[in-house]
Amino acid sequence: MLLADLGPLAQLRAGRLGRRLPQLYVGLWLYGVSLAMMVRADLGAAPWDVLHLGIARYVPLSLGEVLIVVSLLVLLLWIPLREVPGLGTISNALVIGVATDATLSVLERPDEMWLRITLMLVGVLGNGAATAFYIGAQLGRGPRDGLMTGLHRRTGVSLRVVRTGLEVTVVAIGLVLGGVAGIGTVLYALSIGPVTQALLPALTVRLRPPAAPPLVEPGVDPASATASSR
């Protein structure tokens, strides 16, 4: 399994869009659904959603709308980090918030504890699957993923330390603002990586290899060789 490191245009030119585009949007929609399931389970949200829930207490926006606004603000942090967004990046910032609100509008908090635990577990597993879906489509990192990789590249600090630092920070700010953390938050932090890693090989779409440059004999001008081959 190999994830390509391509720019936005190269991602689109790499072929197999008939599979990659549906896989991207299925993954992003499932991601929003799974986040909403964890929220309705009310046993602790995903780390970034602790922050989103805290912010939502103070602004006249839904949770999904807060998620979109925060995603766009995170994208602004890409500028000094020199990260380049792709189609998947912009889609991530918008689709997940819409899917979260759509799911919250039809899903109520269960009264029975066993149903809440089931909802939490399905949400965590579904989120891992959704992550593998959209990453495997190879159409660009999400805003928060790009922030993590950008900080890693600019500072030299390991990805594990950067990710942990970011998630601890957003959880702490979220708790101060009134967000809710709990066993679901801990379970998410411990399991999302292994679940995604287990599913990613099967869901990573192999891309078309880049075209090789034309072969030119030594001493021959490449421009004239190209012209003569037309």
Side-chain angles (χ1 to χ4, degrees):
M1 184 274 295
L2 180 63
L3 292 172
D5 187 12
L6 302 174
L9 292 179
Q11 291 167 6
L12 295 174
R13 292 170 179 165
R16 304 195 68 183
L17 290 179
R19 172 181 169 182
R20 293 167 63 210
L21 286 173
Q23 179 171 318
L24 169 68
Y25 290 107
V26 167
L28 294 178
W29 193 267
L30 176 59
Y31 198 101
V33 171
S34 63
L35 290 182
M37 293 174 73
M38 290 190 64
V39 170
R40 285 296 188 239
D42 198 20
L43 292 170
W48 277 90
D49 282 328
V50 177
L51 174 63
H52 300 146
L53 288 166
I55 295 173
R57 291 169 57 91
Y58 296 92
V59 295
L61 299 173
S62 66
L63 176 60
E65 290 168 342
V66 169
L67 195 154
I68 291 172
V69 170
V70 171
S71 296
L72 296 177
L73 291 176
V74 169
L75 280 178
L76 293 179
L77 298 177
W78 282 35
I79 297 174
L81 297 174
R82 298 181 182 176
E83 292 288 300
V84 181
L87 174 64
T89 309
I90 305 302
S91 298
N92 185 299
L94 302 176
V95 174
I96 292 176
V98 174
T100 300
D101 274 352
T103 306
L104 289 174
S105 69
V106 298
L107 183 64
E108 298 294 334
R109 177 187 181 275
D111 293 327
E112 297 84 354
M113 178 58 72
W114 72 271
L115 285 176
R116 292 170 57 196
I117 293 173
T118 301
L119 199 59
M120 175 191 70
L121 293 175
V122 174
V124 171
L125 293 175
N127 195 268
T131 303
F133 263 91
Y134 86 74
I135 290 178
Q138 305 213 59
L139 283 164
R141 294 184 290 272
R144 295 153 187 80
D145 298 326
L147 177 62
M148 176 184 66
T149 57
L151 287 172
H152 159 69
R153 184 169 52 81
R154 298 289 287 179
T155 66
V157 178
S158 72
L159 282 171
R160 181 178 300 178
V161 171
V162 171
R163 175 169 179 168
T164 301
L166 282 173
E167 294 195 346
V168 168
T169 299
V170 298
V171 168
I173 296 173
L175 289 174
V176 170
L177 294 175
V180 180
I183 186 62
T185 311
V186 176
L187 180 64
Y188 182 95
L190 294 176
S191 61
I192 191 67
V195 172
T196 302
Q197 184 174 350
L199 296 175
L200 195 55
L203 292 171
T204 298
V205 182
R206 291 184 178 274
L207 303 182
R208 182 174 59 206
L215 296 177
V216 180
E217 295 180 6
V220 177
D221 178 36
S224 62
T226 301
S228 64
S229 66
R230 291 175 183 170

